[in-house]
Amino acid sequence: TEEIRRWKVPNGRLDIYVKKVVQLLKAQAQTTAREKKVPPSFRSYYRLMIPAMAWQESCFRQYVVRDNKLTYLLSYNNSSVGLMQVNTRVWRGVYNLERLRWDIRYNAAAGCEIATLYLKDYALRDRKGQNKPDNETIVQLVYAMYNGGPAQYKRYLERKQTGKLYSSDKLFQEKYEWVSAADWSKINKCLIGG
Protein backbone atom coordinates (compact mmCIF):
# COMPACT_ATOMS: atom_id res chain seq x y z
CA THR A 1 0.00 0.00 0.00
CA GLU A 2 0.93 3.64 -0.27
CA GLU A 3 1.40 3.97 3.51
CA ILE A 4 3.94 1.13 3.52
CA ARG A 5 5.84 2.57 0.53
CA ARG A 6 5.97 5.92 2.33
CA TRP A 7 8.17 4.32 4.99
CA LYS A 8 10.57 2.55 2.63
CA VAL A 9 14.14 3.84 2.96
CA PRO A 10 14.67 5.95 -0.17
CA ASN A 11 17.68 5.77 -2.48
CA GLY A 12 18.30 9.48 -2.03
CA ARG A 13 17.41 12.26 0.42
CA LEU A 14 17.96 10.15 3.51
CA ASP A 15 17.77 13.33 5.60
CA ILE A 16 14.06 13.70 4.78
CA TYR A 17 13.38 10.05 5.66
CA VAL A 18 15.32 10.29 8.95
CA LYS A 19 13.50 13.49 9.92
CA LYS A 20 10.13 11.80 9.25
CA VAL A 21 11.04 8.78 11.43
CA VAL A 22 12.41 10.99 14.22
CA GLN A 23 9.18 13.02 14.22
CA LEU A 24 7.12 9.83 14.42
CA LEU A 25 9.22 8.47 17.30
CA LYS A 26 9.25 11.72 19.28
CA ALA A 27 5.49 12.16 18.88
CA GLN A 28 4.87 8.57 19.98
CA ALA A 29 7.28 8.94 22.92
CA GLN A 30 5.45 12.07 24.04
CA THR A 31 2.04 10.36 23.76
CA THR A 32 3.19 7.24 25.61
CA ALA A 33 4.97 9.25 28.32
CA ARG A 34 1.76 11.17 28.97
CA GLU A 35 -0.60 8.16 28.79
CA LYS A 36 1.61 5.83 30.86
CA LYS A 37 2.53 8.57 33.34
CA VAL A 38 6.30 8.58 32.91
CA PRO A 39 7.55 10.85 35.72
CA PRO A 40 8.05 14.42 34.46
CA SER A 41 11.62 14.42 35.82
CA PHE A 42 12.50 11.60 33.41
CA ARG A 43 10.56 12.70 30.31
CA SER A 44 13.39 14.55 28.57
CA TYR A 45 15.56 11.42 28.88
CA TYR A 46 12.67 9.27 27.68
CA ARG A 47 12.19 11.40 24.55
CA LEU A 48 15.86 10.82 23.67
CA MET A 49 15.90 7.17 24.70
CA ILE A 50 13.13 6.06 22.30
CA PRO A 51 14.79 7.28 19.06
CA ALA A 52 18.13 5.88 20.31
CA MET A 53 16.47 2.49 20.85
CA ALA A 54 14.93 2.51 17.36
CA TRP A 55 18.30 3.49 15.88
CA GLN A 56 20.04 0.66 17.72
CA GLU A 57 17.34 -1.91 17.00
CA SER A 58 16.48 -1.22 13.35
CA CYS A 59 18.48 1.73 12.02
CA PHE A 60 15.10 3.49 11.73
CA ARG A 61 13.72 0.85 9.36
CA GLN A 62 10.30 -0.78 9.48
CA TYR A 63 10.63 -2.26 5.99
CA VAL A 64 13.38 -3.70 3.82
CA VAL A 65 13.57 -5.03 0.28
CA ARG A 66 14.10 -8.79 0.27
CA ASP A 67 13.99 -10.86 -2.94
CA ASN A 68 12.90 -7.73 -4.84
CA LYS A 69 9.88 -7.34 -2.54
CA LEU A 70 9.21 -4.74 0.11
CA THR A 71 8.62 -6.54 3.40
CA TYR A 72 8.90 -5.95 7.15
CA LEU A 73 12.28 -5.93 8.88
CA LEU A 74 12.92 -9.19 10.72
CA SER A 75 15.71 -9.86 13.21
CA TYR A 76 18.51 -12.34 12.45
CA ASN A 77 16.75 -15.02 14.50
CA ASN A 78 13.28 -14.26 13.05
CA SER A 79 11.85 -13.31 16.46
CA SER A 80 11.61 -9.50 16.34
CA VAL A 81 10.02 -7.17 13.82
CA GLY A 82 9.99 -3.62 12.60
CA LEU A 83 11.21 -0.26 13.74
CA MET A 84 11.40 -1.13 17.44
CA GLN A 85 12.21 -4.82 16.84
CA VAL A 86 9.34 -5.98 19.05
CA ASN A 87 9.81 -9.65 19.94
CA THR A 88 6.83 -11.51 18.51
CA ARG A 89 7.39 -14.56 20.72
CA VAL A 90 7.54 -12.65 23.99
CA TRP A 91 4.74 -10.20 23.19
CA ARG A 92 2.40 -12.50 21.21
CA GLY A 93 -1.06 -12.21 22.70
CA VAL A 94 -0.30 -8.69 23.90
CA TYR A 95 0.20 -7.05 20.50
CA ASN A 96 -1.30 -7.78 17.09
CA LEU A 97 1.53 -9.50 15.17
CA GLU A 98 0.35 -8.41 11.71
CA ARG A 99 0.16 -4.79 12.82
CA LEU A 100 3.62 -5.02 14.40
CA ARG A 101 4.91 -6.14 11.00
CA TRP A 102 3.00 -3.81 8.68
CA ASP A 103 2.13 -0.67 10.69
CA ILE A 104 5.12 1.48 11.65
CA ARG A 105 3.06 3.63 14.03
CA TYR A 106 1.70 0.58 15.86
CA ASN A 107 5.22 -0.86 16.09
CA ALA A 108 6.54 2.42 17.52
CA ALA A 109 3.69 2.55 20.05
CA ALA A 110 4.31 -1.05 21.14
CA GLY A 111 8.05 -0.40 21.54
CA CYS A 112 7.36 2.70 23.64
CA GLU A 113 4.93 0.78 25.85
CA ILE A 114 7.42 -2.04 26.41
CA ALA A 115 10.22 0.44 27.22
CA THR A 116 7.87 2.20 29.66
CA LEU A 117 7.01 -1.08 31.36
CA TYR A 118 10.71 -1.77 31.99
CA LEU A 119 11.23 1.84 33.07
CA LYS A 120 8.40 1.98 35.59
CA ASP A 121 8.26 -1.63 36.83
CA TYR A 122 12.02 -2.12 37.18
CA ALA A 123 14.35 0.83 36.64
CA LEU A 124 12.41 3.46 38.60
CA ARG A 125 11.01 1.08 41.20
CA ASP A 126 14.35 0.75 43.00
CA ARG A 127 15.23 4.46 43.04
CA LYS A 128 15.15 4.65 46.80
CA GLY A 129 18.07 4.90 49.16
CA GLN A 130 21.65 5.87 48.41
CA ASN A 131 22.33 3.46 45.56
CA LYS A 132 19.70 4.82 43.24
CA PRO A 133 20.85 4.92 39.61
CA ASP A 134 21.09 8.31 37.90
CA ASN A 135 18.94 9.07 34.86
CA GLU A 136 21.69 8.20 32.36
CA THR A 137 22.11 4.79 34.00
CA ILE A 138 18.35 4.30 33.96
CA VAL A 139 18.31 4.92 30.19
CA GLN A 140 20.97 2.21 29.82
CA LEU A 141 19.09 -0.16 32.14
CA VAL A 142 15.88 0.21 30.17
CA TYR A 143 17.67 -0.56 26.91
CA ALA A 144 19.47 -3.58 28.42
CA MET A 145 16.11 -4.99 29.56
CA TYR A 146 14.43 -4.10 26.26
CA ASN A 147 17.20 -5.97 24.46
CA GLY A 148 17.53 -8.95 26.81
CA GLY A 149 14.58 -9.10 29.20
CA PRO A 150 14.11 -8.14 32.87
CA ALA A 151 17.03 -10.32 34.07
CA GLN A 152 19.31 -7.73 32.45
CA TYR A 153 18.45 -5.24 35.20
CA LYS A 154 20.89 -6.70 37.74
CA ARG A 155 23.26 -7.99 35.07
CA TYR A 156 23.64 -4.55 33.48
CA LEU A 157 24.40 -2.96 36.86
CA GLU A 158 27.06 -5.65 37.46
CA ARG A 159 28.56 -5.07 34.00
CA LYS A 160 28.64 -1.33 34.60
CA GLN A 161 30.27 -1.77 38.02
CA THR A 162 32.98 -4.08 36.67
CA GLY A 163 33.46 -2.10 33.44
CA LYS A 164 32.65 -5.18 31.35
CA LEU A 165 29.85 -3.76 29.22
CA TYR A 166 28.47 -5.77 26.32
CA SER A 167 28.99 -4.37 22.85
CA SER A 168 25.19 -3.81 22.70
CA ASP A 169 25.48 -1.61 25.83
CA LYS A 170 28.26 0.43 24.24
CA LEU A 171 26.54 0.70 20.86
CA PHE A 172 23.32 1.88 22.46
CA GLN A 173 25.20 4.46 24.55
CA GLU A 174 26.76 5.75 21.34
CA LYS A 175 23.31 6.07 19.67
CA TYR A 176 21.93 7.82 22.76
CA GLU A 177 24.77 10.36 22.62
CA TRP A 178 24.18 10.94 18.90
CA VAL A 179 20.43 11.43 19.46
CA SER A 180 21.19 13.81 22.36
CA ALA A 181 23.42 15.84 20.03
CA ALA A 182 20.90 15.54 17.14
CA ASP A 183 23.74 14.09 15.06
CA TRP A 184 21.47 12.36 12.56
CA SER A 185 24.07 12.19 9.78
CA LYS A 186 25.69 9.20 11.51
CA ILE A 187 22.64 7.07 10.68
CA ASN A 188 23.62 7.14 7.00
CA LYS A 189 26.22 4.44 7.73
CA CYS A 190 23.63 1.84 8.61
CA LEU A 191 20.87 3.08 6.28
CA ILE A 192 23.05 3.04 3.20
CA GLY A 193 24.73 -0.19 4.21
CA GLY A 194 21.37 -1.69 5.22
Side-chain angles (χ1 to χ4, degrees):
T1 69
E2 187 54 42
E3 178 65 8
I4 291 170
R5 280 195 296 277
R6 232 186 85 158
W7 295 100
K8 176 187 179 287
V9 178
N11 294 327
R13 296 306 316 252
L14 289 176
D15 57 322
I16 293 171
Y17 174 80
V18 168
K19 190 175 186 180
K20 191 167 59 169
V21 175
V22 170
Q23 286 172 340
L24 174 112
L25 289 164
K26 286 189 173 181
Q28 187 58 59
Q30 194 165 334
T31 299
T32 303
R34 186 179 63 250
E35 288 175 356
K36 300 294 181 185
K37 298 180 177 36
V38 170
S41 61
F42 191 77
R43 285 190 187 181
S44 61
Y45 293 89
Y46 183 85
R47 283 192 298 269
L48 296 171
M49 178 182 76
I50 295 299
M53 290 171 74
W55 190 338
Q56 174 74 12
E57 291 294 304
S58 70
C59 189
F60 284 7
R61 294 172 300 165
Q62 175 74 17
Y63 307 108
V64 292
V65 176
R66 199 170 33 239
D67 299 328
N68 292 324
K69 277 200 215 142
L70 189 61
T71 189
Y72 52 88
L73 180 67
L74 197 56
S75 62
Y76 71 94
N77 63 1
N78 298 330
S79 66
S80 301
V81 297
L83 180 67
M84 296 299 290
Q85 288 292 285
V86 176
N87 189 306
T88 56
R89 294 175 189 149
V90 172
W91 298 103
R92 138 183 106 252
V94 177
Y95 296 105
N96 179 310
L97 301 186
E98 282 304 297
R99 288 191 70 197
L100 285 174
R101 292 175 181 129
W102 296 108
D103 182 343
I104 191 171
R105 288 178 175 83
Y106 185 81
N107 191 286
C112 286
E113 286 179 8
I114 294 163
T116 306
L117 173 89
Y118 290 134
L119 172 69
K120 291 180 72 180
D121 288 3
Y122 296 89
L124 293 179
R125 190 186 62 202
D126 292 339
R127 286 189 83 176
K128 296 167 182 73
Q130 295 173 328
N131 296 336
K132 68 178 187 178
D134 62 27
N135 284 339
E136 296 281 334
T137 302
I138 285 175
V139 166
Q140 295 294 326
L141 273 169
V142 170
Y143 178 71
M145 289 185 285
Y146 189 92
N147 189 42
Q152 289 301 315
Y153 180 87
K154 284 193 170 78
R155 291 178 189 155
Y156 174 79
L157 291 174
E158 289 165 7
R159 291 195 299 274
K160 183 173 174 153
Q161 196 168 25
T162 60
K164 294 179 180 169
L165 294 175
Y166 290 170
S167 61
S168 60
D169 300 326
K170 294 175 190 172
L171 288 167
F172 173 73
Q173 178 61 38
E174 184 178 66
K175 307 298 186 309
Y176 184 77
E177 288 166 9
W178 292 342
V179 169
S180 299
D183 192 354
W184 305 112
S185 65
K186 292 212 168 40
I187 203 164
N188 291 350
K189 280 188 249 173
C190 64
L191 277 176
I192 292 169

